[in-house]
Amino acid sequence: MRTTPAVRVTRNDLLLAAGLLALQAVLALTLPVTAVGGHRPDALGWTLLVTIAVFQVWRRRAPLGMVLALALAVSVYHGSDNLHQAVIPTTMVALYSLAVAGPPLRTFVVIPLLIGLMAGVMLATLDRPDTGTHMLSSAGWIFAVGLVGEAVRMHRKYIGAIVERAERAERTREEEAGRRVAEERLRIARDLHDLLAHTITLVGVQTSVAAHVLIANPDRLDREAIAASLEAISDTCRDARAELRATLRVLRSGAADDDRGPLGSGGPLGPLPGLPGVPDLVRAAEAAGARVALTVGAGADHAPPAVGAAAYRIVQEALTNAVRHAGGSHVRVTLTRGAAALNVSVLDDGPAAGTPRGPVRT
């Protein structure tokens, strides 16, 4: 259940009450005394003027109670035939505050009651032929003040609704930006995992091959095999370093321009690896001891970039697993273009018999 926080009396409320008291005093002392206006306030009249002004302190905290208490005090003030015009400004402020506070049903129930009370007091205190005219005039400004307050209340409500929608839209935008950042971070983590796992596996296998050559027959050192393994390790590290550097470069540029969305433009993270990079994966796997046969069907190399990137990662992970678990097996990589899809197939026939394997740490 939603509760409305209590409204506290502020310094502005106190200043308004003091200002209205001063205005009432000036009117009571300077307005001409007529037969309709009554006499200058007596001691009771001045007490009521002060009380009526003090009531304004609670015009926002308890508008209905304030209006009812003010109506009682004003009735006594008029009934004592004090200068009637002196309390008009304070009464108008009270009715305006009631209408602004709302709800409108309460306002338009209270106003007729006040008009009825006003008419009763005027009939009891005024004995003039034009009393009806004064009653209509007083009823008119009471209604007018109520309508002005209701118009202000509706305008404030409309502005508040606009501000609330704007704040809600801003929160939605921030939540969407956060979601996109989280998705981008997940993709970065997945790409870095694929890259590092592939690189570390290949380096581990190639190092094991070199170690096996050194240990198997140290008297007949196969320098060419060792050189080939070290060269393959160097190539693998160089390719991984280039891809990692490209990724970090895009991340830095995205962080410097986050007005365009998560990680820069909010689009793909830099140039995605694609199908043109699959032959490099095959050569790296072959350097690690696997025997790979690559078949690319017609049109398969023209897949959209996002599809090509996904196929690249699939082949990379599959070759990593084949090198890690199947050693020098035969691996068949097939890329074919279907009617509405790119088909990727990576098959191996298990560890090759007699394949030298050393410990691989990944």
Side-chain angles (χ1 to χ4, degrees), residues 113-314:
L113 294 178
L114 294 178
I115 292 176
L117 179 62
M118 177 269 301
V121 172
M122 293 183 71
L123 290 175
T125 57
L126 298 180
D127 186 14
R128 291 177 55 88
D130 57 353
T131 299
T133 302
H134 288 288
M135 290 174 55
L136 290 176
S137 175
S138 300
W141 67 255
I142 289 176
F143 264 118
V145 170
L147 289 176
V148 170
E150 177 62 21
V152 172
R153 186 194 68 80
M154 293 177 63
H155 178 70
R156 289 180 178 177
K157 184 178 180 180
Y158 173 72
I159 296 299
I162 293 177
V163 172
E164 183 181 0
R165 285 197 299 269
E167 292 176 348
R168 186 165 57 247
E170 179 66 17
R171 288 194 300 270
T172 302
R173 188 190 70 83
E174 292 177 354
E175 292 172 357
E176 175 65 16
R179 183 188 63 81
R180 292 172 60 188
V181 168
E183 291 179 352
E184 199 71 6
R185 286 176 176 171
L186 180 61
R187 195 180 75 80
I188 293 169
R190 186 169 56 246
D191 286 352
L192 291 177
H193 169 268
D194 293 342
L195 168 65
L196 296 177
H198 178 75
T199 301
I200 294 172
T201 298
L202 293 182
V203 169
V205 171
Q206 291 158 355
T207 304
S208 299
V209 171
H212 177 76
V213 171
L214 289 173
I215 296 173
N217 194 352
D219 295 333
R220 298 181 60 185
L221 186 61
D222 191 346
R223 297 179 181 275
E224 293 183 359
I226 295 177
S229 296
L230 295 177
E231 183 66 24
I233 292 174
S234 177
D235 293 341
T236 301
C237 293
R238 184 167 52 252
D239 294 342
R241 186 169 58 250
E243 188 172 348
L244 184 59
R245 185 182 296 114
T247 299
L248 295 177
R249 183 168 56 251
V250 175
L251 286 176
R252 293 191 186 100
S253 64
D257 190 17
D258 55 2
D259 290 338
R260 297 163 55 193
L263 299 179
S265 64
L269 183 61
L272 294 173
L275 295 178
V278 172
D280 294 334
L281 295 177
V282 171
R283 284 191 292 270
E286 289 176 339
R291 285 164 287 181
V292 184
L294 173 63
T295 301
V296 180
D301 53 349
H302 297 296
V307 176
Y312 177 92
R313 292 303 184 194
I314 292 172

